Amino acid sequence: MSTSSQTQFRYTQTPSKVLHLRNLPWECTEEELVELCKPFGKIVNTKCNVGANRNQAFVEFVDLNQAISMVSYYASSSEPAQVRGKTVYIQYSNRHEIVNNKSPGDTPGNVLLVTIEGVEANDVTIETIHLVFSAFGFVHKIATFEKAAGFQALIQFTDAETASSARNALDGRSIPRYLLPGHVTSCHLRISYSAHTDLNIKFQSHRSRDYTNPYLPVNPTAMEGLMQPVVGPDGKKQEPQSNVLLASIENMQYAVTVDVLHSVFSAFGTVQKIAIFEKNGGTQALIQYPDVTTAAVAKESLEGHCIYEGGYCKLHLSYSRHTDLNVKAYSDKSRDYTISDLSLLATQASAAMQAQPSAGQVPAWDPSLQARPSYGSVPGTVPGQAYQASAVPTYMNAAPPAGSSPLSQPGATSMRMPPPGGAPLLGQPPYYGQ
């Protein structure tokens, strides 16, 4: 028939979960195909820009009935399927699955494209992916993302030989169950080669990682990401541990400076770096220890306790996604205790001292927070603790407000900071038993 070429559907073909789409706009993207087809079901694979004019595509649904539903809908609809205003002609494909979606998929390379079937994006962490694939060689970079095919990852090895070893060993296999959340019943790896040779990782985060560049900045949104739950021996979910603690400070009546935090947290081990920042109208800090064990001890000991008497400056601690903070060596809001150039610190400290108010003056805590009163900076250490002399010089702070000598909070032990001069409060037991 002369009009057969203009109809949207061909009814004589056997139904298939793979649909053939024709008359698409030039360089139609996978996202545009998914947007057109996703109302009818889950799409597991696509193949775009097929044909001499690159105006055809294939879309594979997870279930045959979903493909039939799409064909039936547009066959009876007065409005044709359209992409960018062009009418799209739909028919069943004579294939029942899309094979070799990526043209370089069988050409060996040093970067693998891994599709993790049977999971959602938050079910498998980047740490789990690294653990599985690093068994075959050094993993340079990982980038994870969600596409029509599901949750995917690009994994870069040193060379194609290492990548081939990982692909041959893991393709079609499952990630061990003990590395997955309890609700995941099945998880399979579908692996092909990627056309990439060197991934461009801009930030360290829960979605991407560059193991060759420890100085790469950490994406601030990484702290906001959902953390992978870890199940403990009792079957209850546990927070994944880290060597960096995130401290939220409540009820701030006195200033909490970098020096104050160093005094409190160094009671449990060497503090490498500290960064203080404002977030959602509150004060938070990141404290980096050299290892997870030290951070875990500090977290367990300090969680829910107050730095000052009366419930002031209460600490709430959690583990951060960070592993190595990128902070300035010396500033009002950060400190790096690992640097070896002490002359640099001395110079920076001298400049900071000149900027401090003269004796008797109490600096405002944060002029930008108009709803808060001005706070004074309170120096001191936890009494009863033997602190190792710090390589960083001690910096002068203003005296605490009258009556602010910190004591134990009713119902909870607090970090009792001594009065000016460093002498501990007589008759008071130490906070952390030695």
Side-chain angles (χ1 to χ4, degrees):
M1 292 185 301
S2 61
T3 59
S4 60
S5 61
Q6 298 303 316
T7 57
Q8 266 199 299
F9 305 96
R10 293 180 182 176
Y11 300 99
T12 58
Q13 291 182 311
T14 303
S16 167
K17 63 181 181 180
V18 178
L19 298 182
H20 179 203
L21 285 70
R22 298 176 294 116
N23 199 44
L24 291 164
W26 174 259
E27 295 289 348
C28 179
T29 66
E30 182 183 47
E31 288 73 17
E32 290 175 305
L33 288 178
V34 172
E35 188 68 24
L36 174 65
C37 302
K38 70 180 181 181
F40 302 96
K42 183 177 181 180
I43 300 165
V44 296
N45 215 343
T46 62
K47 190 176 182 72
C48 305
N49 302 315
V50 177
N53 295 323
R54 302 177 64 84
N55 64 345
Q56 301 179 47
F58 294 94
V59 176
E60 179 182 346
F61 285 92
V62 71
D63 181 74
L64 174 62
N65 291 329
Q66 295 173 354
I68 294 175
S69 175
M70 181 175 182
V71 171
S72 300
Y73 174 82
Y74 283 113
S76 59
S77 174
S78 59
E79 295 293 332
Q82 291 186 338
V83 174
R84 296 190 218 160
K86 290 193 67 175
T87 297
V88 178
Y89 304 123
I90 304 173
Q91 66 188 62
Y92 294 114
S93 171
N94 57 7
R95 65 180 74 185
H96 295 284
E97 66 176 345
I98 297 176
V99 182
N100 296 331
N101 183 37
K102 302 293 183 180
S103 55
D106 290 326
T107 304
N110 67 313
V111 178
L112 297 179
L113 173 63
V114 180
T115 301
I116 307 176
E117 299 177 335
V119 300
E120 300 295 332
N122 294 321
D123 290 337
V124 180
T125 66
I126 201 167
E127 288 80 10
T128 297
I129 297 173
H130 181 264
L131 179 64
V132 171
F133 283 86
S134 61
F136 302 91
F138 178 64
V139 174
H140 287 234
K141 302 174 184 179
I142 298 177
T144 64
F145 48 91
E146 296 176 74
K147 300 282 280 186
F151 181 53
Q152 296 183 310
L154 289 169
I155 301 168
Q156 179 178 330
F157 286 100
T158 304
D159 49 48
E161 182 179 358
T162 308
S164 296
S165 298
R167 180 177 185 263
N168 294 336
L170 295 176
D171 189 25
R173 302 287 297 275
S174 299
I175 294 177
R177 287 293 303 276
Y178 67 87
L179 294 176
L180 300 171
H183 68 273
V184 176
T185 57
S186 64
C187 174
H188 295 89
L189 302 176
R190 183 157 51 88
I191 305 175
S192 61
Y193 296 105
S194 170
H196 295 278
T197 57
D198 187 18
L199 303 180
N200 183 19
I201 306 296
K202 296 181 179 180
F203 297 100
Q204 309 281 23
S205 76
H206 63 291
R207 302 302 298 269
S208 62
R209 202 68 54 86
D210 184 345
Y211 300 96
T212 66
N213 184 6
Y215 303 104
L216 197 67
V218 175
N219 188 347
T221 60
M223 292 188 294
E224 300 293 333
L226 296 176
M227 302 190 74
Q228 170 71 31
V230 175
V231 179
D234 56 356
K236 296 182 179 179
K237 289 183 179 179
Q238 294 181 339
E239 185 182 12
Q241 293 183 325
S242 168
N243 65 312
V244 179
L245 296 178
L246 173 63
S248 299
I249 307 173
E250 290 184 355
N251 197 17
M252 287 194 54
Q253 294 297 317
Y254 309 125
V256 176
T257 64
V258 171
D259 293 325
V260 169
L261 289 176
H262 184 266
S263 296
V264 171
F265 284 88
S266 63
F268 306 95
T270 302
V271 173
Q272 293 182 324
K273 301 176 184 179
I274 295 176
I276 301 176
F277 55 95
E278 300 291 325
K279 187 170 185 180
N280 299 329
T283 299
Q284 296 184 347
L286 290 167
I287 300 95
Q288 178 178 326
Y289 285 104
D291 53 68
V292 173
T293 302
T294 308
V297 172
K299 179 179 182 295
E300 182 179 357
S301 302
L302 298 177
E303 168 59 30
H305 292 189
C306 302
I307 298 178
Y308 300 112
E309 173 194 26
Y312 299 133
C313 303
K314 186 175 182 179
L315 294 172
H316 289 292
L317 302 174
S318 61
Y319 293 108
S320 169
R321 286 187 178 274
H322 298 271
T323 57
D324 188 18
L325 302 180
N326 183 17
V327 301
K328 294 182 179 179
Y330 179 87
S331 73
D332 293 338
K333 296 293 185 179
S334 65
R335 200 71 48 84
D336 186 347
Y337 301 96
T338 65
I339 67 170
S340 57
D341 189 356
L342 296 181
S343 62
L344 174 62
L345 274 184
T347 302
Q348 293 176 323
S350 175
M353 291 283 290
Q354 294 175 6
Q356 289 187 354
S358 58
Q361 289 183 329
V362 179
W365 166 241
D366 191 348
S368 65
L369 300 179
Q370 301 298 330
R372 295 186 182 181
S374 295
Y375 306 121
S377 178
V378 184
T381 60
V382 180
Q385 298 300 323
Y387 294 107
Q388 200 171 13
S390 173
V392 182
T394 303
Y395 307 106
M396 180 175 64
N397 290 305
S404 66
S405 178
L407 297 174
S408 296
Q409 174 188 355
T413 310
S414 62
M415 275 50 71
R416 293 177 287 276
M417 308 293 288
L425 298 173
L426 298 178
Q428 297 295 334
Y431 161 70
Y432 183 65
Q434 298 182 4

